Amino acid sequence: MPSIRTNIKIFLLSIVLSGSAATRAAAEIPVDARALIEKIHLNATANDISALEPLMAKDFLWSFGGDGSASQAIEAWRNDPEYLKNLSRITIMKCSYTKAKCVTCPANAGTGYRAAFKKLPEGWRMISFVAGD
């Protein structure tokens, strides 16, 4: 059974992800995409790396150095806890739904850490988590 603390985090995260129409166009972000982002946030916050891989596209961009698989990203994240801290941080920030039908968190990240989510044949998956340009 989830703890009260976990329930509060889920409640607060749902408020942030749904937002108000005045602050973001949350209605444009599909419900199943918001649910995926919430799962990723909770697993990153809990440092549950093994729970993240099924939520990621197999062809996953995590480095601009040519690396491109979820397995490679998971291995790198195991060796550097800063990745999960940043993933947890950005997945609770304001997100946007792009014309390419991707969700990006945070909206307007520039060259900072950012994650992208897209609906694939198997459902919504995180397709990238990068920083830099």
Side-chain angles (χ1 to χ4, degrees), residues 2 18 25-26 29 31 38-39 41 49 53 55 76-77 85 110 114 126 129:
S18 63
I29 297 175
V31 172
E38 181 178 324
K39 284 182 191 175
H41 173 76
I49 292 175
E53 192 166 6
L55 306 175
W77 298 352
K85 286 180 187 175
R114 61 210 180 268
M126 181 168 56
F129 176 56

Side-chain angles (χ1 to χ4, degrees), residues 59-120:
D59 184 21
F60 184 82
L61 178 64
W62 67 277
S63 168
F64 292 121
D67 300 313
S69 78
S71 299
Q72 289 173 335
I74 292 294
E75 189 58 37
W77 298 352
R78 276 189 168 79
N79 295 319
D80 187 351
E82 288 301 309
Y83 283 109
L84 293 187
K85 286 180 187 175
N86 282 298
L87 184 58
S88 174
R89 179 181 58 80
I90 67 162
T91 51
I92 200 165
M93 298 172 82
K94 176 182 170 185
C95 302
S96 63
Y97 191 54
T98 70
K99 290 180 183 178
K101 297 188 178 179
C102 287
V103 176
T104 58
C105 299
N108 304 314
T111 59
Y113 277 100
R114 61 210 180 268
F117 308 87
K118 187 168 185 140
K119 188 169 187 175
L120 302 176

Side-chain angles (χ1 to χ4, degrees), residues 2-65:
S3 69
I4 291 174
R5 184 180 220 178
T6 300
N7 287 334
I8 290 170
K9 282 183 179 181
I10 291 169
F11 174 73
L12 292 174
L13 180 61
S14 67
I15 290 171
V16 169
L17 289 175
S18 63
S20 69
T23 59
R24 64 194 258 177
E28 295 178 13
I29 297 175
V31 172
D32 42 354
R34 288 193 311 251
L36 171 69
I37 295 165
E38 181 178 324
K39 284 182 191 175
I40 288 174
H41 173 76
L42 292 172
N43 289 322
T45 301
N47 292 312
D48 190 351
I49 292 175
S50 61
L52 289 170
E53 192 166 6
L55 306 175
M56 300 162 65
K58 294 198 185 321
D59 184 21
F60 184 82
L61 178 64
W62 67 277
S63 168
F64 292 121

